[in-house]
mmCIF file of all heavy atoms in Angstrom:
data_model
loop_
_atom_site.group_PDB
_atom_site.id
_atom_site.type_symbol
_atom_site.label_atom_id
_atom_site.label_comp_id
_atom_site.label_asym_id
_atom_site.label_seq_id
_atom_site.Cartn_x
_atom_site.Cartn_y
_atom_site.Cartn_z
ATOM 1 N N LEU A 1064 9.648 -4.906 -6.719
ATOM 2 C CA LEU A 1064 8.459 -5.445 -7.225
ATOM 3 C C LEU A 1064 8.062 -4.735 -8.533
ATOM 4 O O LEU A 1064 7.762 -5.334 -9.591
ATOM 5 C CB LEU A 1064 7.292 -5.417 -6.223
ATOM 6 C CG LEU A 1064 5.950 -5.916 -6.675
ATOM 7 C CD1 LEU A 1064 6.031 -7.441 -6.954
ATOM 8 C CD2 LEU A 1064 4.889 -5.591 -5.631
ATOM 9 N N SER A 1065 8.135 -3.367 -8.545
ATOM 10 C CA SER A 1065 7.800 -2.620 -9.698
ATOM 11 C C SER A 1065 8.696 -2.946 -10.814
ATOM 12 O O SER A 1065 8.304 -3.102 -12.001
ATOM 13 C CB SER A 1065 7.797 -1.083 -9.363
ATOM 14 O OG SER A 1065 6.791 -0.816 -8.448
ATOM 15 N N ASP A 1066 10.057 -2.853 -10.552
ATOM 16 C CA ASP A 1066 11.011 -3.161 -11.583
ATOM 17 C C ASP A 1066 10.935 -4.517 -12.138
ATOM 18 O O ASP A 1066 11.042 -4.772 -13.349
ATOM 19 C CB ASP A 1066 12.400 -2.954 -10.995
ATOM 20 C CG ASP A 1066 12.786 -1.505 -10.785
ATOM 21 O OD1 ASP A 1066 12.018 -0.609 -11.261
ATOM 22 O OD2 ASP A 1066 13.742 -1.237 -10.024
ATOM 23 N N GLY A 1067 10.599 -5.520 -11.289
ATOM 24 C CA GLY A 1067 10.469 -6.900 -11.754
ATOM 25 C C GLY A 1067 9.250 -6.974 -12.624
ATOM 26 O O GLY A 1067 9.340 -7.645 -13.700
ATOM 27 N N LEU A 1068 8.176 -6.350 -12.270
ATOM 28 C CA LEU A 1068 6.877 -6.413 -13.137
ATOM 29 C C LEU A 1068 7.128 -5.718 -14.449
ATOM 30 O O LEU A 1068 6.684 -6.224 -15.437
ATOM 31 C CB LEU A 1068 5.757 -5.813 -12.358
ATOM 32 C CG LEU A 1068 5.236 -6.527 -11.111
ATOM 33 C CD1 LEU A 1068 4.179 -5.760 -10.345
ATOM 34 C CD2 LEU A 1068 4.731 -7.895 -11.528
ATOM 35 N N ILE A 1069 7.878 -4.650 -14.461
ATOM 36 C CA ILE A 1069 8.201 -3.989 -15.699
ATOM 37 C C ILE A 1069 9.042 -4.831 -16.593
ATOM 38 O O ILE A 1069 8.833 -4.953 -17.796
ATOM 39 C CB ILE A 1069 8.841 -2.586 -15.451
ATOM 40 C CG1 ILE A 1069 7.871 -1.609 -14.828
ATOM 41 C CG2 ILE A 1069 9.476 -2.026 -16.677
ATOM 42 C CD1 ILE A 1069 8.448 -0.336 -14.328
ATOM 43 N N MET A 1070 10.065 -5.462 -15.970
ATOM 44 C CA MET A 1070 10.960 -6.382 -16.767
ATOM 45 C C MET A 1070 10.216 -7.545 -17.314
ATOM 46 O O MET A 1070 10.525 -8.082 -18.375
ATOM 47 C CB MET A 1070 12.125 -6.830 -15.908
ATOM 48 C CG MET A 1070 13.174 -5.777 -15.711
ATOM 49 S SD MET A 1070 14.597 -6.562 -14.845
ATOM 50 C CE MET A 1070 14.912 -5.326 -13.642
ATOM 51 N N MET A 1071 9.170 -8.009 -16.603
ATOM 52 C CA MET A 1071 8.388 -9.164 -17.102
ATOM 53 C C MET A 1071 7.382 -8.739 -18.133
ATOM 54 O O MET A 1071 6.745 -9.543 -18.769
ATOM 55 C CB MET A 1071 7.662 -9.797 -15.942
ATOM 56 C CG MET A 1071 8.609 -10.574 -15.069
ATOM 57 S SD MET A 1071 7.909 -11.405 -13.633
ATOM 58 C CE MET A 1071 6.225 -11.284 -13.699
ATOM 59 N N GLY A 1072 7.223 -7.371 -18.357
ATOM 60 C CA GLY A 1072 6.296 -6.894 -19.362
ATOM 61 C C GLY A 1072 4.841 -6.877 -18.896
ATOM 62 O O GLY A 1072 3.988 -6.916 -19.730
ATOM 63 N N VAL A 1073 4.617 -6.774 -17.646
ATOM 64 C CA VAL A 1073 3.247 -6.721 -17.114
ATOM 65 C C VAL A 1073 2.711 -5.301 -17.362
ATOM 66 O O VAL A 1073 3.384 -4.311 -17.209
ATOM 67 C CB VAL A 1073 3.225 -7.091 -15.614
ATOM 68 C CG1 VAL A 1073 1.846 -6.936 -14.924
ATOM 69 C CG2 VAL A 1073 3.854 -8.408 -15.356
ATOM 70 N N SER A 1074 1.449 -5.279 -17.728
ATOM 71 C CA SER A 1074 0.845 -3.959 -18.083
ATOM 72 C C SER A 1074 0.678 -3.195 -16.796
ATOM 73 O O SER A 1074 0.631 -3.698 -15.689
ATOM 74 C CB SER A 1074 -0.560 -4.191 -18.761
ATOM 75 O OG SER A 1074 -1.490 -4.631 -17.812
ATOM 76 N N SER A 1075 0.557 -1.808 -16.955
ATOM 77 C CA SER A 1075 0.466 -0.955 -15.821
ATOM 78 C C SER A 1075 -0.766 -1.190 -14.992
ATOM 79 O O SER A 1075 -0.796 -1.040 -13.795
ATOM 80 C CB SER A 1075 0.520 0.460 -16.262
ATOM 81 O OG SER A 1075 -0.560 0.776 -17.020
ATOM 82 N N PHE A 1076 -1.915 -1.584 -15.656
ATOM 83 C CA PHE A 1076 -3.094 -1.956 -14.937
ATOM 84 C C PHE A 1076 -2.860 -3.080 -13.944
ATOM 85 O O PHE A 1076 -3.196 -3.014 -12.747
ATOM 86 C CB PHE A 1076 -4.208 -2.342 -15.887
ATOM 87 C CG PHE A 1076 -5.396 -2.938 -15.236
ATOM 88 C CD1 PHE A 1076 -6.316 -2.043 -14.532
ATOM 89 C CD2 PHE A 1076 -5.708 -4.228 -15.210
ATOM 90 C CE1 PHE A 1076 -7.404 -2.566 -13.847
ATOM 91 C CE2 PHE A 1076 -6.788 -4.777 -14.562
ATOM 92 C CZ PHE A 1076 -7.630 -3.940 -13.918
ATOM 93 N N TRP A 1077 -2.248 -4.176 -14.434
ATOM 94 C CA TRP A 1077 -1.995 -5.354 -13.586
ATOM 95 C C TRP A 1077 -0.946 -5.039 -12.533
ATOM 96 O O TRP A 1077 -0.976 -5.645 -11.495
ATOM 97 C CB TRP A 1077 -1.640 -6.573 -14.457
ATOM 98 C CG TRP A 1077 -2.826 -7.107 -15.099
ATOM 99 C CD1 TRP A 1077 -3.153 -7.000 -16.441
ATOM 100 C CD2 TRP A 1077 -3.985 -7.729 -14.486
ATOM 101 N NE1 TRP A 1077 -4.331 -7.596 -16.672
ATOM 102 C CE2 TRP A 1077 -4.919 -8.003 -15.519
ATOM 103 C CE3 TRP A 1077 -4.260 -8.105 -13.142
ATOM 104 C CZ2 TRP A 1077 -6.080 -8.638 -15.232
ATOM 105 C CZ3 TRP A 1077 -5.453 -8.710 -12.943
ATOM 106 C CH2 TRP A 1077 -6.384 -8.977 -13.904
ATOM 107 N N GLN A 1078 -0.036 -4.159 -12.841
ATOM 108 C CA GLN A 1078 0.964 -3.777 -11.816
ATOM 109 C C GLN A 1078 0.301 -3.108 -10.649
ATOM 110 O O GLN A 1078 0.535 -3.428 -9.465
ATOM 111 C CB GLN A 1078 1.993 -2.752 -12.415
ATOM 112 C CG GLN A 1078 2.989 -3.361 -13.337
ATOM 113 C CD GLN A 1078 3.945 -2.329 -13.926
ATOM 114 O OE1 GLN A 1078 4.218 -1.392 -13.234
ATOM 115 N NE2 GLN A 1078 4.483 -2.640 -15.086
ATOM 116 N N THR A 1079 -0.699 -2.257 -10.966
ATOM 117 C CA THR A 1079 -1.487 -1.548 -9.892
ATOM 118 C C THR A 1079 -2.310 -2.606 -9.093
ATOM 119 O O THR A 1079 -2.335 -2.526 -7.909
ATOM 120 C CB THR A 1079 -2.435 -0.572 -10.510
ATOM 121 O OG1 THR A 1079 -1.708 0.369 -11.346
ATOM 122 C CG2 THR A 1079 -3.197 0.279 -9.461
ATOM 123 N N VAL A 1080 -2.904 -3.550 -9.769
ATOM 124 C CA VAL A 1080 -3.685 -4.649 -9.160
ATOM 125 C C VAL A 1080 -2.758 -5.442 -8.228
ATOM 126 O O VAL A 1080 -3.083 -5.735 -7.005
ATOM 127 C CB VAL A 1080 -4.398 -5.572 -10.160
ATOM 128 C CG1 VAL A 1080 -4.960 -6.847 -9.480
ATOM 129 C CG2 VAL A 1080 -5.473 -4.769 -10.916
ATOM 130 N N ILE A 1081 -1.640 -5.795 -8.712
ATOM 131 C CA ILE A 1081 -0.662 -6.609 -7.902
ATOM 132 C C ILE A 1081 -0.195 -5.854 -6.709
ATOM 133 O O ILE A 1081 -0.161 -6.397 -5.545
ATOM 134 C CB ILE A 1081 0.503 -7.115 -8.776
ATOM 135 C CG1 ILE A 1081 0.001 -8.119 -9.809
ATOM 136 C CG2 ILE A 1081 1.612 -7.639 -7.878
ATOM 137 C CD1 ILE A 1081 0.988 -8.506 -10.823
ATOM 138 N N LYS A 1082 0.084 -4.517 -6.845
ATOM 139 C CA LYS A 1082 0.467 -3.763 -5.735
ATOM 140 C C LYS A 1082 -0.648 -3.611 -4.700
ATOM 141 O O LYS A 1082 -0.417 -3.695 -3.425
ATOM 142 C CB LYS A 1082 0.943 -2.392 -6.183
ATOM 143 C CG LYS A 1082 2.248 -2.373 -6.856
ATOM 144 C CD LYS A 1082 2.626 -1.012 -7.310
ATOM 145 C CE LYS A 1082 3.801 -1.030 -8.229
ATOM 146 N NZ LYS A 1082 4.056 0.246 -8.879
ATOM 147 N N GLY A 1083 -1.847 -3.459 -5.181
ATOM 148 C CA GLY A 1083 -2.991 -3.468 -4.296
ATOM 149 C C GLY A 1083 -3.175 -4.701 -3.484
ATOM 150 O O GLY A 1083 -3.462 -4.696 -2.316
ATOM 151 N N VAL A 1084 -2.999 -5.914 -4.174
ATOM 152 C CA VAL A 1084 -3.082 -7.151 -3.522
ATOM 153 C C VAL A 1084 -1.982 -7.287 -2.396
ATOM 154 O O VAL A 1084 -2.182 -7.758 -1.311
ATOM 155 C CB VAL A 1084 -3.023 -8.324 -4.471
ATOM 156 C CG1 VAL A 1084 -2.810 -9.654 -3.801
ATOM 157 C CG2 VAL A 1084 -4.213 -8.364 -5.365
ATOM 158 N N VAL A 1085 -0.778 -6.763 -2.738
ATOM 159 C CA VAL A 1085 0.308 -6.808 -1.757
ATOM 160 C C VAL A 1085 -0.032 -5.985 -0.566
ATOM 161 O O VAL A 1085 0.227 -6.373 0.568
ATOM 162 C CB VAL A 1085 1.636 -6.282 -2.458
ATOM 163 C CG1 VAL A 1085 2.687 -5.961 -1.405
ATOM 164 C CG2 VAL A 1085 2.143 -7.300 -3.449
ATOM 165 N N ILE A 1086 -0.676 -4.788 -0.779
ATOM 166 C CA ILE A 1086 -1.081 -3.925 0.385
ATOM 167 C C ILE A 1086 -2.139 -4.680 1.232
ATOM 168 O O ILE A 1086 -1.992 -4.697 2.426
ATOM 169 C CB ILE A 1086 -1.663 -2.606 -0.134
ATOM 170 C CG1 ILE A 1086 -0.570 -1.762 -0.741
ATOM 171 C CG2 ILE A 1086 -2.309 -1.847 1.007
ATOM 172 C CD1 ILE A 1086 -1.059 -0.505 -1.379
ATOM 173 N N VAL A 1087 -3.122 -5.316 0.546
ATOM 174 C CA VAL A 1087 -4.153 -6.059 1.306
ATOM 175 C C VAL A 1087 -3.523 -7.164 2.131
ATOM 176 O O VAL A 1087 -3.844 -7.323 3.316
ATOM 177 C CB VAL A 1087 -5.252 -6.510 0.351
ATOM 178 C CG1 VAL A 1087 -6.178 -7.519 1.027
ATOM 179 C CG2 VAL A 1087 -6.035 -5.398 -0.200
ATOM 180 N N LEU A 1088 -2.646 -7.911 1.451
ATOM 181 C CA LEU A 1088 -2.032 -9.013 2.179
ATOM 182 C C LEU A 1088 -1.187 -8.492 3.374
ATOM 183 O O LEU A 1088 -1.116 -9.124 4.419
ATOM 184 C CB LEU A 1088 -1.131 -9.804 1.193
ATOM 185 C CG LEU A 1088 -1.870 -10.661 0.176
ATOM 186 C CD1 LEU A 1088 -0.901 -11.345 -0.750
ATOM 187 C CD2 LEU A 1088 -2.762 -11.704 0.821
ATOM 188 N N ALA A 1089 -0.504 -7.403 3.166
ATOM 189 C CA ALA A 1089 0.318 -6.834 4.276
ATOM 190 C C ALA A 1089 -0.583 -6.401 5.445
ATOM 191 O O ALA A 1089 -0.272 -6.594 6.578
ATOM 192 C CB ALA A 1089 1.149 -5.631 3.806
ATOM 193 N N VAL A 1090 -1.725 -5.716 5.106
ATOM 194 C CA VAL A 1090 -2.638 -5.287 6.138
ATOM 195 C C VAL A 1090 -3.245 -6.474 6.872
ATOM 196 O O VAL A 1090 -3.321 -6.506 8.098
ATOM 197 C CB VAL A 1090 -3.748 -4.408 5.553
ATOM 198 C CG1 VAL A 1090 -4.916 -4.147 6.505
ATOM 199 C CG2 VAL A 1090 -3.185 -3.067 5.142
ATOM 200 N N VAL A 1091 -3.577 -7.498 6.114
ATOM 201 C CA VAL A 1091 -4.180 -8.706 6.751
ATOM 202 C C VAL A 1091 -3.081 -9.405 7.674
ATOM 203 O O VAL A 1091 -3.421 -9.839 8.761
ATOM 204 C CB VAL A 1091 -4.700 -9.718 5.703
ATOM 205 C CG1 VAL A 1091 -5.020 -11.035 6.287
ATOM 206 C CG2 VAL A 1091 -5.998 -9.151 5.048
#
Side-chain angles (χ1 to χ4, degrees):
L1064 179 66
S1065 296
D1066 289 346
L1068 292 173
I1069 289 170
M1070 284 188 226
M1071 289 179 6
V1073 178
S1074 72
S1075 62
F1076 170 77
W1077 286 108
Q1078 288 180 26
T1079 306
V1080 169
I1081 291 169
K1082 287 177 192 174
V1084 168
V1085 167
I1086 292 173
V1087 169
L1088 290 175
V1090 169
V1091 167

